[in-house]
Amino acid sequence: MKKLLPYTIFLTFILALLIGPLTTNAEGSVVIQKVTKDTIIYEEPSSNSAEIGELTKGSFVTVLAASKGWTHIQTPEQMGYVASDVLVKLKSEGYVVMQKGGTTLFTAPRQNAQKVGQLYEGRVVFVYGTALGGWSFVQYGEDTGYVATNALKKPVPTKKRINAVNGAELRLTASPSGEVLGTLANKTTVQYYITLAGWSYVEAGDQKGYVKASELANIQLTNNKVYNKGIPAAKGAKKRVALTFDDGPDAKVTPQILATLEKYDAKATFFMVGKNVSKNATIVKQVYEAGHEIGSHTLSHKKLTTLSIAGVKQEVNGSSNAIYTAIGQYPTVFRPPYGATNEQVRSVITIPSILWSIDTLDWKHHNPDKILASVKASVKDGSIILMHDIHQTTANGLENVMQYLQKQGYDLVTVSEILQ
């Protein structure tokens, strides 16, 4: 593969000292940004210097250094300076090269462009964006360029953990000579994608790269029991109830429920559907940052007892990964859609499965008064109450429910708290 020329590396080092260092990203020392409008490339960091080229809107550039409103950039054809405000930071996604025999990396999104090199089948590359004509701009190691989008596939990750007493070195490429990006501590939970010649591509939060396959282990079942009620409070302690909300998040209803919970200084557990998580990532963060518990309610709300074990895994892992992408944490509890579970389903689950002791039937009657009536009729210490944060009538009735519970002396806590 093509490498940066020695004089370029030296120049970058000097500029980093003179202009200011640029923080490296999760993909190593290569920092990619996108051009937001047509712009001029200057020889020096000044609009009074010579114009040496142009960049069109949508172009991708490698950033070498930045300071005082100017960014030193490099493309496959040229190097120079552009105003920093025409660039935008990008978040990459890992894709696997699936084309048999690999695919070619080009300097531009066309077949007759100069070749940068070959990306071998099975390699994980970082995709920063797409270009017209079915091209994706990618990075592998120090190399960047365009590949045919149909040669790539988004992999489905699974959870594993680091199994190395001194931690596992995370490398930029699948090689012992790859740039070291950092160390993942022993027992760190990671998203595992693929193994190539003894190297596994993993992600842990913002950290992405390869570790030795021998330093990974499967996650063992910890507590996959099924609960339909919480543990009563200790003698002399305040009674507790867990409010739970299924099927969200919803762009309109969930924020209203959050506001009501905050008003009464209460905590709850939200069992989220993975597809809704992906559409409402900002709301997921709001739920998490407000101190509420986030649980999994599968990827697409299918009845798990009707699926093969592979189908169950797809639903469970899909939801867990969507939540991880949104908040950097995996769900701590799980609720099977329709409460349907069996031994096969539980063999896939590694966290507690939560049913309920009070079903408000808010999904059926859409009546705030009936929600309150069901709670009054059945609530007791340790109750787990089922509602849904996708119905406006649930949001409308929640305040009355919370007022009643607090007047009855209940603390409103998360599911994990009520199980302790």
Side-chain angles (χ1 to χ4, degrees), residues 18 38 58 83 87 119 145 165 190 225 229 285 335 362 374:
L18 296 177
D38 295 348
L87 299 176
L119 293 173
V165 175
V190 300
K225 295 180 181 178
K229 61 183 179 180
K285 290 181 181 178
R335 174 169 281 165
D362 59 337
S374 66

Side-chain angles (χ1 to χ4, degrees), residues 205-222:
D206 289 335
Q207 295 180 289
K208 309 173 184 179
Y210 293 87
V211 298
K212 293 179 181 178
S214 59
E215 295 176 330
L216 282 180
N218 293 325
I219 293 178
Q220 302 299 314
L221 293 177
T222 52

Side-chain angles (χ1 to χ4, degrees), residues 225-232 239-246 267-271 293 333-336 352-361 374-375 378-387 401 405 410-420:
K225 295 180 181 178
V226 179
Y227 297 86
N228 60 6
K229 61 183 179 180
I231 297 173
K239 298 181 295 182
R240 302 177 302 174
V241 165
L243 299 178
T244 67
F245 300 92
D246 285 12
K267 300 304 177 188
T269 301
F270 291 77
F271 290 96
E293 184 171 27
V333 285
F334 174 79
R335 174 169 281 165
S353 291
I354 310 301
L355 300 182
W356 52 85
S357 50
I358 299 176
D359 186 351
T360 64
L361 298 177
S374 66
V375 171
S378 304
V379 70
K380 60 183 179 180
D381 187 22
S383 289
I384 298 176
I385 301 174
L386 169 62
M387 292 180 280
V401 169
L405 291 172
Y410 288 101
D411 260 350
L412 305 180
V413 300
T414 66
V415 163
S416 287
E417 289 177 302
I418 210 168
L419 295 181
Q420 298 175 355

Side-chain angles (χ1 to χ4, degrees), residues 315-330:
E315 284 291 311
V316 173
N317 292 336
S319 174
S320 294
N321 292 330
I323 292 169
Y324 184 91
T325 298
I327 63 171
Q329 299 289 332
Y330 288 106

Side-chain angles (χ1 to χ4, degrees), residues 243 245 253 256-257 260 264 360 362 365-373 375 387-388 391-405:
L243 299 178
F245 300 92
V253 177
Q256 296 176 37
I257 287 176
T260 304
Y264 289 89
T360 64
D362 59 337
H365 52 63
H366 301 284
N367 187 320
D369 293 335
K370 288 185 177 181
I371 295 175
L372 178 59
V375 171
M387 292 180 280
H388 298 77
H391 304 304
Q392 183 62 53
T393 47
T394 299
N396 295 344
L398 180 60
E399 185 161 9
N400 286 339
V401 169
M402 296 178 68
Q403 285 180 345
Y404 172 78
L405 291 172

Side-chain angles (χ1 to χ4, degrees), residues 10-21 65:
F10 177 74
L11 178 60
T12 302
F13 174 73
I14 296 299
L15 287 166
L17 293 177
L18 296 177
I19 298 179

